[in-house]
Amino acid sequence: MTKLRICYIVSGVICILFITFMITLVLAQTVFKPKHPILQTVSSTVEGVSTYVSPTYDDVQLNFTLTLQMLMTNPNLADFEYKTVENLVYYRDILVGNLTLPSSTLPAKGSALLPCPLVLQVDKFVADLGDILQDILQRKIVIETTAHMPGKITVLGIFKAHLNTLSHCKLVLSFPSMEVEMQVCELETKL
């Protein structure tokens, strides 16, 4: 074998390795690049409402279950394994309810609709009677929900990307019917 032929073989192998590396790099940055999963509140309903306000306003009772329909969408070409999803409900910056959903996997390019029934802690709701009375007199109760979904995506069985999705919604409930009048949601994701 001549030195020239050995040089051609070595050059060919190096070119093939370089081209393979470049194709892999381009695919990793375009097609297989991890995209943010989407977690959004599609709808919210109030069930099991019971209210009581005494004529002297010294006794207020409010019990209800807030059911959120959470849509989780995976736009990736790989499965998204998420850990426990935590939903928190706040009334005037006071935690009044929470729900934890078990960990699972969203298929590639798939989605799942999860019902999330939240039983609200009424004793925390009426911790400050002035605020709840003011809202009752205005016939509107404003509730904020926060859902946090950490997880990971494994691309080609080798590369792992950790993702965090946070959904923040503001709900306005009419009183005394407790129907959802307005719902505004924001989505934040971190890679």
Side-chain angles (χ1 to χ4, degrees):
M1 223 192 244
T2 64
K3 288 184 179 182
L4 185 60
R5 186 172 177 153
I6 292 173
C7 184
Y8 285 147
I9 292 173
V10 170
S11 296
V13 169
I14 290 174
C15 279
I16 290 172
L17 289 174
F18 180 73
I19 290 171
T20 304
F21 172 76
M22 290 305 292
I23 290 172
T24 304
L25 183 66
V26 168
L27 287 175
Q29 293 298 316
T30 56
V31 176
F32 296 118
K33 183 177 181 180
K35 296 167 188 73
H36 302 294
I38 300 167
L39 176 65
Q40 63 189 105
T41 303
V42 178
S43 68
S44 53
T45 57
V46 176
E47 301 165 347
V49 178
S50 71
T51 58
Y52 172 75
V53 179
S54 70
T56 59
Y57 295 109
D58 61 347
D59 185 22
V60 176
Q61 295 177 4
L62 178 65
N63 296 317
F64 59 91
T65 299
L66 178 67
T67 301
L68 303 174
Q69 293 288 332
M70 302 295 291
L71 177 65
M72 295 189 288
T73 306
N74 179 14
N76 294 290
L77 294 173
D79 291 348
F80 177 64
E81 298 175 37
Y82 61 90
K83 298 176 184 172
T84 55
V85 178
E86 186 176 31
N87 285 321
L88 303 175
V89 179
Y90 295 93
Y91 172 71
R92 296 194 181 237
D93 298 327
I94 298 172
L95 181 66
V96 294
N98 64 344
L99 171 73
T100 303
L101 299 174
S103 58
S104 186
T105 302
L106 274 177
K109 296 284 186 181
S111 62
L113 186 64
L114 300 175
C116 304
L118 298 157
V119 178
L120 301 180
Q121 301 167 357
V122 179
D123 57 332
K124 293 183 181 179
F125 230 98
V126 294
D128 186 0
L129 284 177
D131 290 338
I132 193 72
L133 286 177
Q134 181 182 2
D135 287 345
I136 288 172
L137 292 174
Q138 292 178 354
R139 298 188 170 269
K140 292 185 182 192
I141 298 174
V142 179
I143 294 176
E144 296 184 18
T145 65
T146 302
H148 180 249
M149 181 176 66
K152 69 178 177 179
I153 292 176
T154 305
V155 179
L156 300 175
I158 302 170
F159 307 105
K160 294 182 181 180
H162 293 274
L163 303 170
N164 283 315
T165 301
L166 185 69
S167 173
H168 182 79
C169 293
K170 181 178 179 181
L171 306 170
V172 177
L173 308 173
S174 65
F175 185 84
S177 67
M178 297 306 285
E179 293 178 1
V180 179
E181 284 187 357
M182 186 181 74
Q183 175 179 320
V184 179
C185 293
E186 296 175 1
L187 181 67
E188 178 184 336
T189 52
K190 296 177 185 175
L191 194 58

